[in-house]
Amino acid sequence: MSSTKQSLFITFLIILWYTSNIGVLLLNKLLLSTYSFRFPIFLTICHMSACSLLSYISIVFFNFVPFQKIKSKSQLLRIATLSVVFCASVVGGNVSLRYLPVSFNQAVGATTPFFTAVFAYAMTLKREAWVTYGALVPVVAGVVIASGGEPSFHLFGFIMCISATAARAFKSVLQGILLSSEGEKLNSMNLLLYMSPIAVLVLLPAALVMEPDVLDVTLTLGSEHRFMWLLLVVLGNAKGAVAVVISILLFRNPVTVVGIAGYSMTVMGVVAYGETKRRYK
């Protein structure tokens, strides 16, 4: 593949990644808030099922990455542990979307580097340069400011969002510890291929007990809004600053100058953290 074609292909992937991530985030908000779909566990099961199917197709049929087999029971147990933490982060994020605007949800989610640094030090005693930790100050300060200036602040939603963010950071650190040996390392797509079905098995009993009428409501909504469900199946998962702007325009949730300033400070802090971590490795 020539360098021009490779650049175009990478650009296409980035655009596709942004579109799918922002799209599923906004659709989750529509389902959980606007359409009062009160089943975040079932919604997470749908996401995990789609991840499992699409990752299998990408690996087996399209050969995007080489297929990697699980080599031992201990490796499977480690992947299962990561899957449970992964479940907690996705469910927590979906629950928070029911109570918080997407813009504020993204502001809180941007503090992931802070929690990653905390867990990395607590679990591995890995230290970064002091200037790197200093870059995390505006990350936390920005969320504190945004919280105080958020008109639609909801305490339970905020707790779930923080918990999801912390679980996401904990998973990344735990993944580095559990799958550290060269013989057991998996690329991201293969890891997703194994984690997703485990997540479905973990969440299914919880959905049956905690969300018993989910199938009736889902079928009713599905018959009324078929196009929206088609988009949900096709799109993938993630976040971003662009989603904040789109969500404000789409949902017209009130924002204040203080809230915007807090989120801007958080984003700048994340950028500074990434740059200092790169320079002071």
Side-chain angles (χ1 to χ4, degrees):
M1 184 182 293
S2 65
S3 58
T4 303
K5 288 184 178 180
Q6 188 175 23
S7 299
L8 289 174
F9 180 66
I10 293 173
T11 302
F12 168 75
L13 288 179
I14 293 173
I15 294 172
L16 181 64
W17 178 77
Y18 256 88
T19 304
S20 61
N21 284 333
I22 295 170
V24 79
L25 181 68
L26 299 178
L27 284 170
N28 281 349
K29 179 63 177 177
L30 277 172
L31 276 174
L32 294 165
S33 181
T34 306
Y35 290 97
S36 299
F37 187 76
R38 304 179 304 276
F39 309 106
I41 298 176
F42 178 76
L43 189 58
T44 305
I45 290 176
C46 293
H47 289 170
M48 294 299 100
S49 300
C51 286
S52 181
L53 177 62
L54 294 175
S55 58
Y56 180 81
I57 293 173
S58 300
I59 294 172
V60 175
F61 292 99
F62 291 102
N63 297 313
F64 285 151
V65 296
F67 176 68
Q68 296 174 290
K69 293 183 179 180
I70 295 178
K71 298 180 179 179
S72 64
K73 289 184 179 180
S74 63
Q75 186 185 20
L76 178 60
L77 182 61
R78 293 169 184 175
I79 293 172
T81 303
L82 288 174
S83 183
V84 171
V85 178
F86 185 44
C87 284
S89 67
V90 177
V91 171
N94 285 340
V95 171
S96 71
L97 280 173
R98 184 182 172 192
Y99 300 98
L100 299 176
V102 175
S103 53
F104 185 58
N105 176 281
Q106 291 300 284
V108 176
T111 61
T112 301
F114 167 76
F115 288 103
T116 302
V118 171
F119 286 129
Y121 179 75
M123 297 168 65
T124 66
L125 298 180
K126 179 184 176 182
R127 289 188 178 184
E128 304 287 352
W130 285 109
V131 66
T132 302
Y133 289 120
L136 291 172
V137 173
V139 174
V140 179
V143 170
V144 172
I145 294 172
S147 301
E150 175 54 56
S152 305
F153 181 83
H154 190 284
L155 181 59
F156 178 72
F158 177 73
I159 292 173
M160 293 305 297
C161 194
I162 281 286
S163 300
T165 303
R168 195 159 50 243
F170 180 67
K171 174 192 164 290
S172 66
V173 176
L174 192 63
Q175 181 175 328
I177 296 173
L178 296 182
L179 301 177
S180 57
S181 66
E182 288 298 325
E184 293 188 344
K185 279 186 178 180
L186 298 173
N187 60 52
S188 57
M189 192 168 287
N190 275 276
L191 184 60
L192 185 63
L193 173 66
Y194 290 119
M195 284 201 307
S196 299
I198 295 174
V200 172
L201 293 176
V202 170
L203 292 172
L204 192 56
L208 292 175
V209 173
M210 301 174 67
E211 302 172 347
D213 55 340
V214 62
L215 290 180
D216 292 336
V217 177
T218 301
L219 291 174
T220 302
L221 267 179
S223 62
E224 294 175 357
H225 307 283
R226 293 176 183 175
F227 179 69
M228 180 179 64
W229 283 101
L230 176 62
L231 285 176
L232 262 180
V233 171
V234 173
L235 296 176
N237 253 315
K239 291 106 189 147
V242 180
V244 174
V245 178
I246 296 177
S247 71
I248 292 173
L249 295 175
L250 181 62
F251 299 107
R252 302 191 182 280
N253 52 279
V255 293
T256 63
V257 175
V258 175
I260 294 173
Y263 181 65
S264 300
M265 182 181 294
T266 298
V267 171
M268 288 187 290
V270 171
V271 173
Y273 170 78
E275 181 64 18
T276 54
K277 190 170 182 179
R278 182 183 67 82
R279 290 188 180 185
Y280 297 94
K281 280 185 177 180

